[in-house]
Amino acid sequence: MSAPVVLSDVAQAFSGRGEKRLAIDGVSITVDAGEFVAIVGPSGCGKSTILDLIAGHTRPKRGSVTVGGVTVAGPGPDRMLVFQEHALFPWLSVADNVGFGLKATGVDAAERDEVVQTWLAKVGLADAASLHPHELSGGMRQRAALARAFAMRPEVLLMDEPFSALDAPSRDRLHVELQELWSETGTTIVFVTHNVREAVALGDRVIVLSSGPGTVVGEVKVKLARPRVVESARVVATAQQVRGLLDEADQMGIRTPREQGDGYVSI
Amino acid sequence: MSPSDARATVASSPRDLRRGLPILVTGIILLALWAIAAVFADALPGPGETGQELWRMAGDGQLVSIFVRVTLFMGVCFSIAAVVGVLIGLVLSARPAADRGLSPYFAGLQGMPTGMWIPVAAILLGTTPLSLAAVVTIGAMPAIVLGTRNAVRNVPPLLTRAGRTLGADKRTMLRHVVFPAALPGITTGLELGWSIAFRCLVAGEIFSGALSGTGIGAVIQRSRETGELTEMMATIMIVLAFTMLVDRLVFARVQLRLRESRGLIDAGLPH
């Protein structure tokens, strides 16, 4: 199951700040059904705001956001958001966490059990079903969060730097697993990251944003064979190309923070 | 059953002993200090005399009677206060206008000594256990209301966002996300409400001997008339045993369960 996502000429302010600063301005992005799109940019460029808009946690100040041709009016189980922190419910077991959304949307117990078992097995957590989140490693927690999102069979999966707090080996494994799950389910994925190599390794297409306020400065199609890993020479070469776009934006006077700066973008 | 559940319910006896030992040692030290104090203060009965008095009270049924009546009075009043208080707290956290209008008054009521209402209730409702029960029940509520409301306010937004993303409607959010996330804070509010309720009970007994019907007031009355403190000290021991039991069997257990299931006890697990 998958649906196309279309943002046209969207502007949105950062939420909950006294002075309303624009997070993104004039952003237009089209994601085809079943496409895996990575959005990369420095911190503060409104990447997370874009996901919030698609998820329906905020409404755009200007422009429109549609999923499957329908304007987004609020959060819904057709769009799952995976956060940088796992956001698992600490008082529930892993199995209950994965089954939470199914229970909330009225799936009966027998079917729920089956779906939960299936997804726990797929992310390699079958043995950890009865453990609580605090008894898992960082990588396992993020796997559980992935299983919880996929178990809802979303049309669109929105991922907000989900692996950036993980150690490198866990991250590399999850990159490969995510690509496998994506090709198996065909879900549309919008993956936000500040890591250029990660974006190139995962995306069919990498959309490059600049900050202050966020605008699209270009995009790079990635046609390498999957599953890709961040160390592969081709991924690194394409990452240079994406990095070039970020630098260009910098020279155009659009601020892209540089090395050691606050929002430095690593290749 | 998760490992943390197993830890909470299946406790081996050497472990029980290890846990119980510090409590026992502290108890013996306190008794020794009491005995020394009683040597210097003539009017203060020592642990020995008090023990004999407790034995007498156990023999003629006064001990059990006080214990049961305190349990009954506090149990009924506190249960009502807990249910109503938590419900009001949840409503306040969901309705900002009600919160702005009511919370300052609840804060004021929580701060003031609840016992001040006892004469008012005694005259309006008569000097019956009912009037004191009303004051104790309503007096315990503000702390529970505010504890609940603050606990809900402190629920991490990430969890509510996750809940909404997963398709939870308002009722599911409240029952399965907000309430469990706020439970540690709600428990703290309940403990505070409990101790306020107990203070209020004794204030009622000092105001008028038979107000709670627990028999504590009658003991206070007798020691006031005779200046003899043995029965009073024995009654204090009974009440202390009661509050310690409630803490060990209810509050301490609940807190431990909550902390274990939420991973707030460092057990050297992977991070």
Side-chain angles (χ1 to χ4, degrees), chain B residues 168-182:
Chain B
D169 56 18
K170 271 196 168 159
R171 230 185 98 223
T172 313
M173 279 296 288
L174 189 66
R175 224 182 116 195
H176 295 290
V177 179
V178 173
F179 187 73

Side-chain angles (χ1 to χ4, degrees), chain A residues 1 51-59 67 71-83 101 104-105 148-149 152-158, chain B residues 160-169:
Chain A
M1 291 217 298
L51 293 190
D52 265 357
L53 285 164
I54 303 171
H57 287 300
T58 53
R59 309 268 166 83
V67 172
T71 302
V72 171
D78 57 326
R79 286 151 289 139
M80 280 294 119
L81 190 49
V82 177
F83 307 89
T105 48
R148 183 171 73 169
M152 297 294 288
R153 296 191 188 96
E155 310 257 356
V156 181
L157 185 60
L158 306 162
Chain B
T160 51
R161 251 163 54 114
R164 262 185 285 139
T165 297
L166 289 164
D169 56 18

Side-chain angles (χ1 to χ4, degrees), chain A residues 215-264:
Chain A
T215 46
V216 177
V217 293
E219 65 168 63
V220 173
K221 280 203 158 57
V222 187
K223 287 182 176 145
L224 308 173
R226 289 181 188 276
R228 309 177 197 136
V229 291
V230 285
E231 293 94 351
S232 100
R234 287 175 175 178
V235 166
V236 174
T238 313
Q240 297 287 0
Q241 204 184 326
V242 174
R243 177 76 227 184
L245 279 172
L246 284 160
D247 284 349
E248 237 172 79
D250 200 16
Q251 278 151 21
M252 279 159 62
I254 302 169
R255 208 160 40 81
T256 306
R258 300 310 310 264
E259 197 159 1
Q260 275 133 36
D262 207 20
Y264 172 62

Side-chain angles (χ1 to χ4, degrees), chain A residues 1-25:
Chain A
M1 291 217 298
S2 60
V5 177
V6 180
L7 282 82
S8 40
D9 191 31
V10 173
Q12 173 66 6
F14 281 113
S15 60
R17 308 227 178 136
E19 187 193 337
K20 288 289 174 195
R21 205 155 56 84
L22 281 183
I24 53 170
D25 195 6

Side-chain angles (χ1 to χ4, degrees), chain B residues 145-193:
Chain B
V145 169
L146 292 177
T148 304
R149 167 251 202 191
N150 291 338
V152 171
R153 282 182 157 194
N154 290 337
V155 171
L158 187 65
L159 294 183
T160 51
R161 251 163 54 114
R164 262 185 285 139
T165 297
L166 289 164
D169 56 18
K170 271 196 168 159
R171 230 185 98 223
T172 313
M173 279 296 288
L174 189 66
R175 224 182 116 195
H176 295 290
V177 179
V178 173
F179 187 73
L183 209 48
I186 293 175
T187 312
T188 307
L190 288 174
E191 281 187 57
L192 189 56

Side-chain angles (χ1 to χ4, degrees), chain B residues 71-266:
Chain B
T71 310
L72 208 66
F73 190 89
M74 284 295 286
V76 170
C77 291
F78 183 70
S79 302
I80 297 170
V83 172
V84 178
V86 169
L87 284 178
I88 296 176
L90 291 176
V91 169
L92 286 193
S93 51
R95 299 258 179 280
D99 185 45
R100 274 195 294 278
L102 291 172
S103 289
Y105 291 97
F106 279 119
L109 287 170
Q110 186 196 331
M112 73 168 265
T114 315
M116 286 179 79
W117 294 107
I118 293 168
V120 180
I123 288 162
L124 285 179
L125 303 171
T127 44
T128 62
L130 185 74
S131 78
L132 184 62
V135 176
V136 169
T137 306
I138 296 168
M141 269 181 214
I144 299 170
V145 169
L146 292 177
T148 304
R149 167 251 202 191
N150 291 338
V152 171
R153 282 182 157 194
N154 290 337
V155 171
L158 187 65
L159 294 183
T160 51
R161 251 163 54 114
R164 262 185 285 139
T165 297
L166 289 164
D169 56 18
K170 271 196 168 159
R171 230 185 98 223
T172 313
M173 279 296 288
L174 189 66
R175 224 182 116 195
H176 295 290
V177 179
V178 173
F179 187 73
L183 209 48
I186 293 175
T187 312
T188 307
L190 288 174
E191 281 187 57
L192 189 56
W194 170 262
S195 78
I196 288 173
F198 218 141
R199 269 159 187 68
C200 188
L201 186 163
V202 174
E205 291 293 77
I206 291 170
F207 174 75
S208 157
L211 215 45
S212 75
T214 55
I216 297 174
V219 176
I220 294 172
Q221 193 66 33
R222 278 196 289 278
S223 53
R224 187 157 32 194
E225 281 161 9
T226 60
E228 222 291 303
L229 283 176
T230 317
E231 194 188 11
M232 191 67 232
M233 286 305 288
T235 309
I236 287 172
M237 289 300 120
I238 296 171
V239 172
L240 185 64
F242 174 75
T243 50
M244 274 187 80
L245 268 177
V246 169
D247 175 65
R248 291 287 97 196
L249 296 181
V250 184
F251 292 121
R253 280 195 178 192
V254 170
Q255 293 277 17
L256 181 70
R257 270 296 268 269
L258 289 176
R259 280 184 295 142
E260 269 185 342
S261 67
R262 283 161 175 73
L264 297 173
I265 294 172
D266 187 12

Side-chain angles (χ1 to χ4, degrees), chain A residues 14-56:
Chain A
F14 281 113
S15 60
R17 308 227 178 136
E19 187 193 337
K20 288 289 174 195
R21 205 155 56 84
L22 281 183
I24 53 170
D25 195 6
V27 167
S28 296
I29 295 172
T30 304
V31 183
D32 295 333
E35 195 182 11
F36 195 146
V37 163
I39 300 178
V40 69
S43 38
C45 74
K47 301 188 294 280
S48 304
T49 307
I50 291 174
L51 293 190
D52 265 357
L53 285 164
I54 303 171

